[in-house]
Amino acid sequence: MAFEGLTERLQKAMTNLRRKGKVSESDLRQTMREIRLALLEADVNFTVVKDFVKTVRDRALGAKVLEGLNPAQQIVKIVDEELTKTMGETAVPLNKSPKIPTVIMMAGLQGAGKTTTVGKLALKLKNEANARPLMIAADVYRPAAIEQLQQVGRQIDVPVFELGTDVDPVEIVRQGMAQAKENHNDYVFIDTAGRLQIDEQLMDELANIKAVAEPDEILLVIDAMTGQNAVNTAEGFDTKLDVTGVILTKLDGDTRGGAALSIRAVTGKPIKFVGQGEKMTDLDVFHPDRMADRILG
Ligand code: GDP
């Protein structure tokens, strides 16, 4: 289960507060200390934690919550609302081009889940919007990558455009786009190469692919289990590519929750989907309010 540590600690902080009945300023300070530690232990970005704690405290004091009825309950409500706000308030839908095809470029480190997620998203659009997507295999550095995308394509019955590993990825994308136009595909997914860490060469290649494909959406695929590193990675990619959204994968194995809680606040970019398993159907729209409820347990 995701976030179990954070949920447990926040619940404990809230239970302690509820036990008080009447809540004093010093009780509030103690609760905020517990929340702060819980968030830091969940690997939430330090600045995000600082801002969060300050906002909750200021709101509680400003609204004279402590003097009113059910102060503990009201503080829980403020925490819930601020968690939601930190994660972006509302779900943000995929960008859609006014004329076909809508081009969605995926970027991310190797192993983050790009290829799997391309398949999941293509399937989702196929099932929910009757889409006719084409997936372009533009990762030429890992020979198995093309075969992996083809395997995904067969699984979800979506065609894959590939030119092997000897052609420049930018050229592959150019030709893939031409094919999509010819075939009237309404969505094009570009599966790009990843590396173990961010490097200049990869970033230049992604920037060149972006220039050729003019994507409507650049989705950064980020492994939630990497916590703070996920946030640094997101910042690195975003600086170079100006991404339009994030997909957080492996939330099913993320016991801490730091990435989910930090990425929006640090990068300003919305988390649009979350991957919650290895199956092709394990992709969900990210709803900040539902996630906040889940975190609070
Ligand atoms: P890529 O290198 O970025 O293309 O990553 P892959 O798509 O090959 O994914 C790497 C591994 O992560 C594979 O074993 C996937 O099955 C797994 N994976 C991807 N998304 C998720 C997810 O949401 N949950 C879980 N548990 N595993 C995932």
Side-chain angles (χ1 to χ4, degrees):
M1 229 305 259
F3 311 144
E4 50 200 8
L6 180 57
T7 299
E8 201 177 298
R9 292 200 55 167
L10 288 177
Q11 277 182 346
K12 190 155 163 277
M14 299 305 172
T15 309
N16 288 343
L17 193 67
R18 280 201 182 94
R19 276 209 201 100
K20 301 276 180 190
K22 185 98 187 92
V23 178
S24 69
E25 262 198 66
S26 121
D27 294 332
L28 178 64
R29 213 173 305 128
Q30 175 62 24
T31 302
M32 292 323 300
R33 213 170 4 241
E34 286 165 19
I35 291 177
R36 181 172 171 275
L37 283 175
L39 291 171
L40 286 175
E41 207 155 285
D43 210 16
V44 180
N45 175 277
F46 179 73
T47 311
V48 175
V49 175
K50 225 173 82 187
D51 292 349
F52 181 86
V53 167
K54 184 177 183 319
T55 308
V56 172
R57 190 179 40 227
D58 288 354
R59 275 189 65 187
L61 291 174
K64 302 208 184 318
V65 161
L66 305 186
E67 294 156 35
L69 288 175
N70 296 321
Q73 204 174 320
Q74 291 190 52
I75 291 167
V76 173
K77 186 163 171 276
I78 293 174
V79 170
D80 192 359
E81 285 170 6
E82 289 304 325
L83 282 175
T84 304
K85 219 180 273 175
T86 302
M87 291 185 286
E89 203 88 67
T90 52
V92 182
L94 274 182
N95 296 339
K96 196 166 188 298
S97 164
K99 62 180 196 351
I100 67 165
T102 292
V103 180
I104 300 177
M105 174 176 168
M106 314 291 275
L109 294 182
Q110 193 174 310
K114 276 182 307 301
T115 306
T116 312
T117 306
V118 166
K120 286 177 174 178
L121 198 50
L123 180 64
K124 202 176 193 52
L125 287 166
K126 207 174 146 208
N127 287 345
E128 292 171 14
N130 255 328
R132 291 179 55 250
L134 176 71
M135 307 192 286
I136 301 178
D139 178 358
V140 298
Y141 305 103
R142 226 166 30 97
I146 297 175
E147 173 52 30
Q148 192 191 342
L149 188 64
Q150 283 174 322
Q151 215 172 329
V152 166
R154 281 192 293 273
Q155 208 179 329
I156 60 171
D157 196 17
V158 167
V160 172
F161 181 87
E162 56 100 7
L163 292 174
T165 53
D166 295 332
V167 181
D168 177 37
V170 177
E171 184 54 30
I172 296 175
V173 169
R174 202 188 313 266
Q175 293 194 29
M177 296 283 299
Q179 165 141 351
K181 278 179 191 142
E182 205 170 297
N183 293 353
H184 303 290
N185 292 105
D186 48 5
Y187 281 91
V188 172
F189 288 93
I190 305 172
D191 187 21
T192 63
R195 298 266 207 283
L196 291 175
Q197 55 197 33
I198 290 178
D199 70 55
E200 264 325 289
Q201 198 196 345
L202 173 68
M203 287 300 162
D204 288 343
E205 179 180 303
L206 293 175
N208 290 337
I209 290 177
K210 177 183 174 181
V212 165
E214 297 180 7
D216 303 286
E217 187 86 73
I218 303 179
L219 293 174
L220 187 56
V221 179
I222 293 277
D223 178 345
M225 294 205 285
T226 59
Q228 278 297 295
N229 283 337
V231 180
N232 297 337
T233 306
E235 269 192 299
F237 272 94
D238 190 39
T239 304
K240 187 77 184 189
L241 287 178
D242 190 13
V243 307
T244 53
V246 174
I247 298 185
L248 210 51
T249 61
K250 309 185 197 181
L251 210 65
D252 49 312
D254 174 31
T255 50
R256 296 200 290 175
L261 272 164
S262 311
I263 280 185
R264 171 65 191 243
V266 172
T267 64
K269 298 300 164 72
I271 299 173
K272 295 200 170 183
F273 297 92
V274 286
Q276 317 214 57
E278 292 192 87
K279 290 202 303 289
M280 279 296 120
T281 46
D282 292 332
L283 185 77
D284 298 297
V285 171
F286 181 71
H287 292 280
D289 52 346
R290 290 184 206 165
M291 194 58 74
D293 291 348
R294 185 165 137 188
I295 289 171
L296 280 174

